[in-house]
Amino acid sequence: MEFTKKYENGLKIVVKEMPGLYSLTVGFCVGVGSCLEDKSNNGFSHFIEHMMFKGTPKRTAFEISDSVDRIGGQINAFTSKDMTCYYAKVASVYAEQAVEILSDMLLNSLFDPQELDRERKVILEEITMGEDQPDEVCHDLIAEALYGDKGLGQTIIGTKELISKAGREDLLKFIDRFYTSENITVAFAGNIKFEEACAYVEKYFLPYLDKHHKVAELSAQECRSDYIFKVKDIEQAHICIGFEGLPLDDPDSDAYAVFSSIFGSGMSSRLFQKIREEYGMAYTVYAYPSYYVNNGYLEIYAGTNPKNIETVMSLIKEEIDNILSGGVTDAEFERGKEQRKGGTLLAQENSSVVMTNIGKYYLLLDKKYTVEEKIAAIDRVTKADVERVMRKVLDRSRASLAIVSRSKPAEDLLEKFKA
């Protein structure tokens, strides 16, 4: 069962009691990521995430990780486009220790200049490493093609130029702006009682969070239709086609999810069967939706031999037209619903995934995420709903395209795809 509470200073807590587990995951979720950054601070959310592990007056960087390792737990963090989350997974008997360690990181991180310069080098290496992953480069490019060079079009990790010159005061100013009590949710999932979780938050977080100002949420960004390519010395070409999708809390989001399963998720999907099984043109091909507050997009990805770029794009176009003209079959519809339900239920067996889901929903939407309501919502989806949503999303005339390949791709590929 899920429980929530909002304190007077805006801090929120959400707890999913899972008494059948031996463990729990606790995290503090901050409502900031690359989509709320600008050209002066892109990458700062991710940089700060790294620096939170680099020492407090109470613990060195080693002692932060060692304090969790010595109780048999795991500690980590991630930055996305709309959220930064720091979390620990521990045996339930160590719940208080985990909360205290995370609060120490949030409230007391030193941002020591020497540690900052060392971590700057690590992030610059991470940026370089990312450039050696052409599929990830292509994913970043399709976001830029859809949204330009601001908001959701920016990369999470930032640029070498900005990371190279970011100073301690710059990061602390960013923290003052976004790490406010009204922009933080503490989330628990696992073997813990709501009252116990509240007691820990009220002991280690609540008295020390005195920044109350609200943070503006990401406004709706208009999707563009653009074509971006990048030439890299690689063997395979990477293709991403993007469409404007639906936001996180859209009434049709469950129908949209069922459609994406039918069209591009798993080995039984339309795209997999057509491009891999029937034509052997790709090892990896899929479609998946990304959801954000007030925004969202659908991405189709395929990796193929550079000589097959036009053929693969033609096959994707053909399959889009097939599903739009012929609709989905009854068998596809039932399979798509069961895929969504099964994935939702299986995710409940991982307390870290549950913590992230409930934390994100309560942080960004001020709503509970309950598995029972999600399953019921999927059950209510009709085939007509799915077909209505797919016709709204799969508008080839408004598509964007990104390609990473060893040679310059044809300049008219997007226009051919739209025609």
Side-chain angles (χ1 to χ4, degrees), residues 12-29:
K12 294 187 284 191
I13 178 174
V14 56
V15 179
K16 168 77 172 182
E17 293 185 358
M18 305 170 75
L21 300 183
Y22 291 104
S23 64
L24 66 90
T25 301
V26 54
F28 68 87
C29 307

Side-chain angles (χ1 to χ4, degrees), residues 44-72:
F44 281 20
S45 299
H46 177 258
F47 201 161
I48 289 166
E49 176 218 312
H50 278 237
M51 289 306 301
M52 287 285 185
F53 289 85
K54 294 303 168 183
T56 70
K58 186 175 182 178
R59 295 179 174 91
T60 64
F62 171 78
E63 287 168 341
I64 288 174
S65 57
D66 181 62
S67 61
V68 179
D69 288 343
R70 66 174 55 246
I71 59 175

Side-chain angles (χ1 to χ4, degrees), residues 283-336:
Y283 177 77
T284 302
V285 56
Y286 55 82
Y288 74 93
S290 294
Y291 304 92
Y292 304 97
V293 175
N294 297 321
N295 298 274
Y297 62 93
L298 179 76
E299 178 181 339
I300 297 172
Y301 167 84
T304 190
N305 190 302
K307 69 181 182 181
N308 294 330
I309 290 175
E310 292 200 43
T311 302
V312 168
M313 288 193 61
S314 178
L315 291 172
I316 293 171
K317 176 181 176 180
E318 179 182 322
E319 204 53 48
I320 288 173
D321 291 347
N322 286 342
I323 199 168
L324 288 178
S325 61
V328 301
T329 68
D330 290 343
E332 285 178 322
F333 172 64
E334 293 301 330
R335 183 174 65 239

Side-chain angles (χ1 to χ4, degrees), residues 101-250:
I101 293 164
L102 290 172
S103 69
D104 187 33
M105 293 166 57
L106 170 64
L107 301 166
N108 304 311
S109 283
L110 293 170
F111 285 74
D112 176 79
Q114 289 185 325
E115 288 284 1
L116 191 148
D117 285 336
R118 271 194 290 268
E119 202 59 28
R120 185 196 318 278
K121 295 176 184 177
V122 172
I123 295 173
L124 291 173
E125 289 298 324
E126 188 177 357
I127 293 173
T128 300
M129 181 179 70
E131 283 294 322
D132 288 336
Q133 298 174 304
D135 55 334
E136 294 300 319
V137 173
C138 201
H139 295 318
D140 285 339
L141 290 180
I142 195 61
E144 182 181 350
L146 285 164
Y147 294 106
D149 60 355
K150 61 183 180 180
L152 290 165
Q154 299 179 127
T155 65
I156 294 169
I157 200 168
T159 66
K160 286 186 176 181
E161 179 184 6
L162 285 174
I163 298 304
S164 295
K165 67 182 184 182
R168 182 175 187 271
E169 293 306 314
D170 297 319
L171 299 184
L172 293 179
K173 183 178 179 181
F174 191 91
I175 288 174
D176 284 340
R177 178 181 173 190
F178 289 105
Y179 279 61
T180 73
S181 53
E182 295 199 21
N183 202 34
I184 294 175
T185 292
V186 187
F188 295 78
N191 191 354
I192 191 169
K193 292 288 187 182
F194 177 63
E195 295 78 12
E196 182 184 4
C198 288
Y200 295 149
V201 169
E202 290 162 13
K203 179 177 180 180
Y204 293 107
F205 280 94
L206 187 62
Y208 311 104
L209 287 169
D210 55 1
K211 303 185 188 77
H212 298 178
H213 63 273
K214 290 186 177 181
V215 175
E217 67 180 27
L218 178 68
S219 58
Q221 280 188 261
E222 183 178 355
C223 270
R224 314 181 316 169
S225 177
D226 201 0
Y227 173 25
I228 303 176
F229 65 83
K230 192 164 191 175
V231 175
K232 296 184 73 69
D233 186 16
I234 52 178
E235 291 301 311
Q236 193 174 48
H238 300 264
I239 305 166
C240 283
I241 303 169
F243 301 86
E244 184 173 10
L246 303 182
L248 183 61
D249 199 33
D250 192 279

